[in-house]
Amino acid sequence: MTVRAWAELLRVSALFTVPGDALAGAAAVGRRPNRSTALAVGASLCLYEAGMALNDWADRDEDAVDRPHRPIPSGRITPRAALTAAGALTAAGLALAARAGRPALTVATGLAATVWAYDLHLKHTPAGPAAMAAARGLDLLLGATATATAPVASVSAEAPVAAVSAGASASAGASARAVLPAALPAAAMLTAHTYAVTAVSRHEAQGGSTTAPLAALGAVVALGGAALRERQGKAGGSPYPGRGGAGAPGSRAGATAPAGARTGSGGAGATAPAGARTGPTAPARLLLTALTGAYLRTAARPLGHAVLNPSPPLTQRAVGSGIRAMIPLQAALAARAGAPGTALAVMGLVPLARSLARKVSPT
């Protein structure tokens, strides 16, 4: 068993599409990435790789016919080793999520169950694309939940341990319920993209379908248009839900801005003329436009080629590009939520993904 065989089994070139899920989730709930976000990223990576190993284990007989070069049918990795890796990676992912808190573990458990259900049964049913898409949406919500429920205040040394524990647990649950709705639009957009790409991937071995890539192309264009519609709100609250507004995790309740002061993100207590609206600055709009353009350029062109010629090579190329397009989509979602720094950090993964994809196929 060689390092390259495991790299192919785990599709390591696609790994760079995973961290952006949690980071986009953190941006969606208006929190900067923290230790819990890092734990969510680690959990996501483990569960993603568990799904890759389990996928090839479940498809070993089919791959022996359609893809005999894959690690298991070629004999470079045994089915038992692949299944063991899937189980170990799942356990590691859940352990990391547990360290981020009970709410994060709950979401991670649902994500793990979805991954295993997809690979073992749902993949070859009409529910397959929906299951895969749900897994991506849950991955973003995992990052949002872990980040939103991270501790944000110190505790007095005199406070009883039991009271502190109970209070922290209740606060985490309340925080998750309060901010998760803000992450749902981003999760829905990532889910829609994943559904479209997965529907195309069902034809990548045989080709011949123009309907799936055409529908995916339409979905990509629609998602690009949706990403450009910034989430704006009334002045006095954050223009991006959950970011710096009153009651947002980490905000200082009751803080007020000096009279006449200009507030950037609409911090708690900010005042503005009734009915006035705030929005992103010109540089923020420019960044969002550039990231959305990168998303469309990465995903749309290969899909167009697959529509015109639905051969296996072009269909596989469209699927690979659709997977890599998740990175600029995640970055656009972060920018749309008012987190340009996070967006640029996510886009920094693009060269790494592109470079590794030349050596190991992401599909």
Side-chain angles (χ1 to χ4, degrees), residues 226-363:
L228 288 173
R229 291 194 289 272
E230 300 96 343
R231 292 161 56 185
Q232 296 182 352
K234 291 184 178 181
S238 171
Y240 304 100
R243 181 167 296 276
S251 64
R252 297 175 59 186
T256 56
R262 299 179 62 183
T263 57
S265 295
T271 60
R277 302 182 68 85
T278 61
T281 62
R285 291 195 190 95
L286 182 60
L287 176 62
L288 177 58
T289 301
L291 294 174
T292 303
Y295 164 65
L296 291 172
R297 183 171 59 253
T298 304
R301 182 179 298 177
L303 284 171
H305 293 162
V307 171
L308 296 175
N309 179 12
S311 63
L314 290 181
T315 303
Q316 291 169 15
R317 186 178 301 173
V319 173
S321 297
I323 293 173
R324 291 193 300 274
M326 289 181 182
I327 300 177
L329 176 58
Q330 294 157 348
L333 292 174
R336 185 172 179 264
T342 297
L344 293 174
V346 171
M347 278 301 289
L349 299 173
V350 170
L352 299 175
R354 184 182 297 119
S355 176
L356 199 52
R358 297 191 183 102
K359 301 177 182 179
V360 181
S361 172
T363 66

Side-chain angles (χ1 to χ4, degrees), residues 34-51:
N34 51 38
R35 175 180 176 274
S36 293
T37 313
L39 290 171
V41 170
S44 297
L45 290 170
C46 288
L47 294 176
Y48 185 86
E49 292 292 51

Side-chain angles (χ1 to χ4, degrees), residues 93-161:
L94 293 177
L96 288 170
R99 295 188 62 185
R102 185 177 299 176
L105 177 60
T106 299
V107 178
T109 301
L111 173 57
T114 302
V115 168
W116 280 71
Y118 172 82
D119 284 333
L120 296 182
H121 177 65
L122 297 177
K123 182 194 321 183
H124 299 296
T125 72
M132 175 63 80
R136 273 289 179 171
L138 285 170
D139 201 29
L140 187 146
L141 293 178
L142 172 59
T145 303
T147 305
T149 57
V152 294
S154 59
V155 180
S156 171
E158 291 78 12
V161 173

